[in-house]
């Protein structure tokens, strides 16, 4: 059975249907799997086949499928299922199910069956013996060897030797239960021969210590992996990214060969980690590529080719993997094998992309010569999916590689009949003619193209035409083309008259060279802002671009001026024309409530401020202590972001608000005494004298009563602002009095005392 499975390396065919979002519905798959458990095996087979066609590397579905056959003694079907899944699903629970299946047949066959079972165990340990969860498998195998009968001394000696070798293989594996295996091994050797045990234990003690240390490190990486995750195409979810990173960490750990084993053992362990990784990241082309290139770097080209072949079965539409596979073959001199990869990917050419045509054409030019590339180009241009890129690629190939400028010119001309409406093709053709210094044909090309292109698609062509005249023409031709461009593009904007006016930006466009400019960055931004304003004279602009901000890059592009902010080493400004400027202002019809309003609030529950009822505000003030209500009443309402509560409270803690029983702010005074308006409070000399006296008293207090003695906010920025407030407060003792500004920004205004 082991031999049959080893020779069978078939993978379940995948149904590759693009755009089928429900195909990899994990929740639906779990529902189907649970439903299959309740059905007879004859009815459940189609469900299992459907699940495994979508998730061919799901060990838990394969295990559930084969156990359903084993439950009804459908042994031949179970054997077929094992042959399909074992080599592609290196997971211990599935392989232990396989051992149970083998022992079920062989336990009744005597010595012959015992040998078959031993081969099955060795077969399993060869594939999954390095799994961190394989500890119980090693124990089961050792227990099976111990249970074998020995009729003669020779058989007993052979049995003990087999047990010893199995122990010695197990105790050097960084796996679960490695400590238990070591203790069992010590007991085993002491039971057989204490004299021999001392030497063997001393020999394997360092190897065991190394395995145990590596196991502890390895376990940290393994614990981050979700072993129940189904293989689905990447969708960018955080869970998928976490799993991808967990697998990358484990692979990097294994590549470091922490156990310092020989090269063959290290390669086998790393390959095993990749195989397990691809069970879960089956649809990730980067993991397939990493696995194949790792084999290639280790000198195993055949293994790398097999990985690429498996990858293309899993992801047949992956253009990247096809190119990588062909590149591997070509780099090792197998041109025909690489050509076959391209041909399989291109198929009949109906669904082939322009890029695939171009890459195959370049491959043929490298490996078979000019004639093969030319023949393929003649066929590729007939494809319904052929774009102008194919013409440009072959023309530049003829010009740069074959040094045939005439052929390249003819190809560009042939493509022009088909792609005259493509501005990008016009620009590529113009660049080619400029390389030939054929300025006459360049001008003719621009004239032909601009006569057929609609104005809204001709901006880049006009800009290139202007740049061409700046390089190849004289001043008269430059000015003429610029004027024609303005007239043509004025029809594409609402305010076309302003576009026709002369602008200093045109001078900038004419007299800059590469990253050299006839003005400073600040001047260029100012010109761009003025141009933006001139285009929007008739529009209501609530938020014009800031003076030192950048305007819309398209405003510069119309004149052919590159955005100077994109020059390396320059400051990149944001497009502030789309930003709303914070401008606090008094709400219309709402003035700051005076202290008299507080009195009306406490008596009537409603206050009239300039004809506007502020019942909600009064309800809040009514529930506040009088001294705090007086403080709140002096705050003007503004439109803007809410202040930070921590900072406001910290500022309040520095203010000498009188208690409820003090002389200021008593309930009787608030109810009966006349209160000045907001302007009176801020402008009264009496109030200023009282305020200055309070602040002078506060300056004489110990600094432990300042903001640092209060539980301030934890944010570093806020603490820094409060520190500035304290320093300003300390410095005011020698120079004057300070009045607090914005509690959010920490600003202060200082007036001389």
């Amino acid at each position: 059975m082991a031999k049959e499975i080893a020779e069978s390396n078939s993978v379940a065919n995948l149904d590759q249907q693009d755009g089928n979002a429900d195909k990899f519905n994990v929740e639906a798959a779990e529902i189907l799997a649970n439903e299959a458990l309740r059905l007879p095996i004859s009815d459940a087979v189609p469900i299992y086949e459907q699940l495994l066609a979508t998730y061919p590397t799901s060990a838990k579905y394969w295990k559930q499928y084969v156990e359903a056959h084993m439950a009804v003694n459908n042994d031949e079907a179970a054997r077929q299922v094992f042959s399909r899944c074992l080599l592609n699903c290196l997971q211990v629970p599935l392989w232990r199910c396989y051992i149970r299946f083998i022992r079920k047949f062989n336990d009744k066959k005597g010595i012959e069956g015992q040998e078959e079972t031993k081969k099955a165990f060795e077969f399993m340990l060869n594939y999954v013996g390095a799994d961190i969860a394989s500890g119980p498998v090693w124990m089961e195998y050792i227990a099976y060897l111990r249970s074998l009968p020995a009729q003669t001394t020779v058989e007993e000696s052979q049995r003990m030797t087999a047990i010893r070798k199995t122990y010695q293989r197990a105790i050097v594996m960084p796996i679960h239960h490695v400590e238990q295996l070591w203790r069992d091994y010590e007991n085993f050797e002491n039971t057989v021969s204490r004299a021999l045990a001392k030497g063997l234990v001393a020999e394997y003690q360092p190897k065991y210590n190394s395995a145990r240390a590596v196991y502890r490190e390895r376990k940290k990486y393994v614990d981050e992996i979700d072993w129940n995750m189904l293989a689905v195409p990447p969708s960018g979810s955080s869970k998928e990214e976490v799993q991808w990173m967990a697998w990358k960490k484990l692979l990097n750990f294994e590549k470091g060969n922490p156990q310092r084993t020989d090269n063959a053992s290290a390669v086998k362990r790393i390959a095993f980690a990749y195989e397990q990784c691809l069970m879960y990241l089956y649809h990730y082309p980067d993991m397939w590529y990493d696995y194949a290139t790792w084999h290639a770097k280790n000198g195993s080209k055949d293994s790398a080719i097999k990985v690429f072949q498996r990858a293309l079965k899993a992801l047949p539409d992956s253009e990247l993997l096809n190119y990588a596979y062909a590149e591997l073959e070509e780099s090792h001199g197998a041109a025909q094998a690489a050509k076959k990869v391209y041909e399989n990917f291109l198929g009949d050419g109906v669904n082939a992309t322009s890029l695939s045509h171009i890459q195959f054409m370049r491959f043929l030019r490298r490996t078979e010569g000019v004639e093969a590339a030319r023949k393929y180009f003649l066929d590729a241009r007939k494809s319904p999916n052929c774009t102008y890129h194919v013409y440009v690629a072959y023309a530049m190939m003829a010009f740069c590689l074959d040094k045939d400028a005439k052929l390249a010119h003819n190809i560009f001309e042939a493509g022009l009949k088909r792609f005259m409406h493509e501005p990008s093709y016009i620009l590529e053709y113009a660049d080619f003619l400029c390389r030939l210094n054929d300025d006459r044909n360049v001008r003719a090309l621009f004239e032909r193209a601009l006569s057929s292109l609609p104005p809204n698609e001709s901006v880049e062509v006009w800009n290139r035409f202007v740049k061409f005249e700046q390089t190849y023409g004289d001043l008269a031709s430059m000015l003429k083309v610029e004027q024609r461009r303005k007239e043509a593009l004025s029809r594409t904007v609402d305010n076309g008259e302003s576009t026709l006016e002369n602008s200093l930006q045109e001078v900038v466009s004419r007299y800059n060279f590469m990253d050299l400019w006839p003005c400073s960055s600040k001047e260029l931004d100012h010109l761009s802002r003025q141009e933006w304003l001139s285009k929007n004279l008739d529009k209501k602009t609530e938020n014009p671009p800031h003076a030192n901000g950048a305007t819309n890059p398209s405003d510069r592009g119309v004149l052919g001026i590159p955005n100077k902010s994109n020059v390396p080493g320059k400051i990149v400004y944001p497009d502030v024309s789309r930003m709303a400027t914070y401008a606090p202002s008094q709400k219309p019809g709402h003035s700051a409530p005076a202290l008299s309003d507080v009195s009306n609030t406490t008596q009537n529950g409603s206050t009239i401020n300039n004809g506007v009822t502020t019942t909600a505000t009064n309800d809040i003030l009514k529930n506040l202590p009088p001294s705090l209500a007086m403080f709140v009443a002096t705050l003007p309402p503004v439109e803007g972001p809410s202040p930070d509560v921590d900072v406001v409270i910290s500022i309040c803690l520095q203010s000498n608000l009188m208690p409820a029983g003090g002389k200021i702010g008593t309930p009787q005074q608030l109810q009966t005494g006349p209160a000045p308006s907001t302007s009176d409070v801020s402008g009264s000399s009496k109030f200023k004298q009282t305020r200055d006296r309070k602040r002078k008293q506060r300056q004489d207090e110990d600094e432990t009563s300042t903001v640092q003695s209060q539980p301030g906010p934890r944010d570093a920025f806020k603490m820094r602002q409060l520190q500035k407030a304290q320093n300003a407060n300390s410095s005011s003792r020698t120079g004057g009095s300070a009045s607090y500004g914005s509690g959010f920004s920490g600003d202060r205004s200082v007036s001389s005392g």
Side-chain angles (χ1 to χ4, degrees):
M1 179 64 187
K3 184 178 180 180
E4 295 174 2
I5 297 176
E7 294 175 352
S8 174
N9 194 16
S10 61
V11 182
N13 293 329
L14 300 179
D15 182 17
Q16 298 289 337
Q17 298 177 357
D18 294 336
N20 188 0
D22 295 333
K23 178 180 178 181
F24 296 99
N25 189 324
V26 176
E27 291 77 8
E30 294 294 339
I31 293 173
L32 283 175
N34 293 332
E35 182 66 22
L37 286 173
R38 296 190 291 267
L39 295 175
I41 185 59
S42 58
D43 297 332
V45 166
I47 297 177
Y48 284 122
E49 291 294 338
Q50 179 184 355
L51 285 173
L52 294 171
T54 306
Y55 306 102
T57 58
S58 175
K60 64 178 182 179
Y61 289 160
W62 284 110
K63 181 174 179 289
Q64 184 176 325
Y65 188 18
V66 75
E67 285 178 341
H69 282 298
M70 292 170 61
V72 295
N73 295 321
N74 195 349
D75 298 331
E76 185 58 31
R79 188 186 300 270
Q80 294 297 325
V81 173
F82 277 127
S83 67
R84 293 167 57 189
C85 69
L86 279 182
L87 299 184
N88 301 300
C89 298
L90 302 181
Q91 196 178 61
V92 170
L94 177 63
W95 281 79
R96 295 191 72 181
C97 180
Y98 161 70
I99 288 295
R100 292 198 304 272
F101 177 75
I102 293 298
R103 295 187 66 174
K104 175 184 175 183
F105 283 95
N106 295 330
D107 285 349
K108 301 177 182 179
K109 295 183 179 180
I111 297 177
E112 182 181 355
Q114 293 171 5
E115 291 299 321
E116 290 293 329
T117 302
K118 288 172 62 177
K119 290 180 181 179
F121 268 113
E122 291 292 339
F123 174 67
M124 176 177 63
L125 292 173
N126 184 50
Y127 278 92
V128 298
D131 194 307
I132 196 171
S134 64
V137 177
W138 289 98
M139 291 181 175
E140 183 180 357
Y141 184 30
I142 292 170
Y144 175 75
L145 293 176
R146 283 175 175 270
S147 65
L148 294 178
Q151 303 296 334
T152 63
T153 305
V154 175
E155 292 179 356
E156 177 65 18
S157 176
Q158 292 176 348
R159 184 174 71 91
M160 300 304 288
T161 301
I163 295 173
R164 177 178 290 110
K165 289 182 178 180
T166 305
Y167 267 125
Q168 291 172 351
R169 290 164 56 194
I171 60 177
V172 297
M173 293 288 182
I175 57 178
H176 296 323
H177 309 294
V178 67
E179 296 92 346
Q180 182 63 42
L181 285 166
W182 173 254
R183 289 193 294 268
D184 293 345
Y185 174 59
E186 284 184 313
N187 294 333
F188 168 76
E189 292 293 359
N190 287 324
T191 303
V192 175
S193 172
R194 286 187 175 273
L196 183 62
K198 186 176 181 180
L200 291 174
V201 169
E203 178 184 354
Y204 279 89
Q205 180 80 48
K207 299 178 181 179
Y208 158 71
N209 291 337
S210 175
R212 183 179 60 177
V214 171
Y215 160 72
R216 292 173 179 174
E217 291 296 320
R218 189 184 191 190
K219 186 176 182 297
K220 297 177 183 178
Y221 298 102
V222 172
D223 289 344
E224 297 180 5
I225 296 173
D226 181 6
W227 298 95
N228 292 318
M229 187 181 78
L230 293 176
V232 297
S235 62
S237 67
S238 58
K239 180 181 178 181
E240 293 173 353
E241 292 178 352
V242 167
Q243 289 302 301
W244 183 88
M245 292 178 63
W247 278 109
K248 292 292 285 187
K249 290 178 182 178
L250 178 60
L251 289 169
N252 291 334
F253 173 75
E254 297 292 0
K255 288 179 181 178
N257 191 12
Q259 205 170 351
R260 300 296 183 265
T261 58
D262 59 277
N263 185 65
S265 299
V267 167
K268 184 177 180 180
R269 181 164 293 172
I270 297 170
F272 174 76
Y274 268 114
E275 291 291 344
Q276 282 198 321
C277 172
L278 290 171
M279 289 175 57
Y280 302 94
L281 305 184
Y282 186 72
H283 298 279
Y284 286 66
D286 58 315
M287 300 308 301
W288 287 104
Y289 178 75
D290 285 349
Y291 189 20
T293 53
W294 173 77
H295 273 303
K297 289 179 180 178
N298 282 276
S300 181
K301 177 197 169 186
D302 294 338
S303 298
I305 291 174
K306 290 179 181 178
V307 171
F308 271 125
Q309 291 173 347
R310 290 170 55 195
L312 293 179
K313 288 182 180 179
L315 303 170
D317 297 328
S318 175
E319 203 165 347
L320 285 171
L321 289 178
N322 277 278
Y323 295 147
Y325 182 21
E327 181 182 88
L328 175 69
E329 295 283 14
E330 184 182 357
S331 64
H332 287 81
Q336 290 302 315
K339 183 178 181 181
K340 187 176 181 180
V341 175
Y342 277 110
E343 290 174 344
N344 291 337
F345 177 63
L346 291 168
D348 55 5
V350 176
N351 298 321
T353 63
S354 292
L355 181 59
S356 59
H357 285 308
I358 292 170
Q359 297 303 332
F360 188 38
M361 190 164 55
R362 289 178 171 177
F363 167 78
L364 292 175
R365 173 64 179 79
R366 291 194 302 267
T367 58
E368 298 183 13
V370 178
E371 189 62 24
R374 186 186 70 82
K375 289 181 179 179
Y376 185 76
F377 168 72
L378 296 177
D379 293 335
R381 67 177 184 171
K382 300 175 184 177
S383 172
N385 297 326
C386 178
T387 63
Y388 71 89
H389 305 84
V390 177
Y391 282 80
V392 173
Y394 185 63
M396 298 310 296
M397 187 187 305
F399 178 64
C400 297
L401 299 180
D402 304 335
K403 314 300 180 184
D404 193 341
K406 183 178 180 181
L407 176 60
H409 188 276
N410 293 338
I411 294 169
F412 271 117
E413 278 296 322
L416 193 63
K417 300 176 183 178
R418 185 174 175 180
F419 303 109
M420 178 67 80
H421 62 285
E422 292 285 354
S424 298
Y425 184 78
I426 303 300
L427 299 180
E428 291 291 340
Y429 191 7
D431 287 342
F432 166 73
L433 293 175
C434 287
R435 292 186 180 186
L436 300 179
N437 284 325
D438 192 355
D439 56 316
R440 180 177 179 181
N441 279 328
V442 174
R443 290 189 176 92
L445 172 64
F446 280 129
E447 296 293 348
R448 291 165 61 189
L450 292 172
S451 63
S452 60
L453 286 173
N456 59 339
E457 297 180 5
S458 62
V459 176
E460 289 299 324
V461 179
W462 275 114
N463 291 342
R464 188 66 64 86
F465 195 6
V466 170
K467 280 295 181 184
F468 169 78
E469 291 296 345
Q470 291 174 0
T471 304
Y472 290 87
D474 53 19
L475 182 60
S477 63
M478 286 186 344
L479 298 177
K480 181 179 179 181
V481 173
E482 286 185 4
Q483 183 63 28
R484 289 177 58 196
R485 177 181 65 178
K486 288 195 294 184
E487 293 174 356
L489 299 183
S490 65
R491 297 190 292 270
T492 64
V493 295
D494 296 336
N495 191 8
E497 292 78 5
S498 63
T499 307
L500 293 174
E501 297 177 359
N502 292 328
S503 170
L504 193 58
Q505 289 235 29
E506 298 172 10
V507 180
V508 176
S509 175
R510 285 195 292 269
Y511 291 97
N512 76 83
F513 181 76
M514 297 177 66
D515 60 342
L516 303 177
W517 297 83
C519 59
S520 65
S521 177
K522 184 177 181 180
E523 290 173 328
L524 183 61
D525 289 334
H526 175 74
L527 291 175
S528 300
R529 178 172 179 265
Q530 298 303 322
E531 181 185 7
W532 186 91
L533 290 173
S534 65
K535 291 181 179 180
N536 295 274
L537 289 176
D538 298 331
K539 298 179 182 179
K540 183 179 180 181
T541 57
E542 298 180 357
N543 296 297
H546 197 268
N548 62 351
T551 58
N552 193 331
S554 62
D555 297 336
R556 298 181 181 179
V558 171
L559 290 175
I561 301 177
N563 192 341
K564 190 176 178 182
S565 299
N566 293 333
V567 177
K570 304 297 182 181
I571 299 175
V572 180
Y573 294 98
D575 183 7
V576 296
S577 63
R578 299 181 177 272
M579 298 172 60
T581 304
Y582 168 58
S585 60
Q586 294 281 349
K587 294 183 179 179
H590 287 70
S591 61
L595 292 180
S596 58
D597 299 333
V598 180
S599 175
N600 293 335
T601 299
T602 59
Q603 293 176 356
N604 305 325
S606 175
T607 306
I608 304 297
N609 287 333
N610 298 332
V612 180
T613 303
T614 58
T615 305
T617 304
N618 292 333
D619 290 340
I620 296 174
L621 294 175
K622 182 167 54 177
N623 296 324
L624 295 176
S627 57
L628 185 57
M630 182 183 67
F631 173 77
V632 172
T634 61
L635 299 176
V638 296
E639 294 179 350
S642 301
D644 191 291
V645 177
D646 290 337
V647 176
V648 172
I649 292 177
S650 300
I651 297 300
C652 291
L653 290 172
Q654 302 177 68
S655 302
N656 281 346
L657 297 177
M658 297 300 293
K663 296 180 180 181
I664 299 177
T666 60
Q668 292 79 8
Q669 288 175 331
L670 288 174
Q671 293 179 5
T672 60
S677 63
T678 306
S679 60
D680 294 337
V681 171
S682 61
S684 173
S685 61
K686 181 179 180 180
F687 182 82
K688 290 180 65 177
Q689 293 174 0
T690 304
R691 181 189 60 190
D692 294 341
R693 184 175 65 255
K694 291 178 180 179
R695 286 181 179 153
K696 187 175 181 181
Q697 293 173 357
R698 185 169 64 251
Q699 292 168 8
D700 297 334
E701 294 176 356
D702 188 82
E703 289 188 4
T704 57
S705 63
T706 61
V707 64
Q708 287 189 353
S709 65
Q710 306 296 338
R714 296 181 180 179
D715 184 73
F717 173 76
K718 300 173 187 175
M719 295 297 295
R720 186 165 60 251
Q721 298 302 319
L722 295 177
Q723 182 68 29
K724 289 170 61 179
Q726 180 197 1
N727 294 338
N729 186 27
S730 300
S731 63
S732 65
R733 298 181 179 181
T734 59
S737 62
S739 61
Y740 288 100
S742 169
F744 181 79
S745 62
D747 294 335
R748 289 171 176 263
S749 60
V750 181
S751 60
S752 60

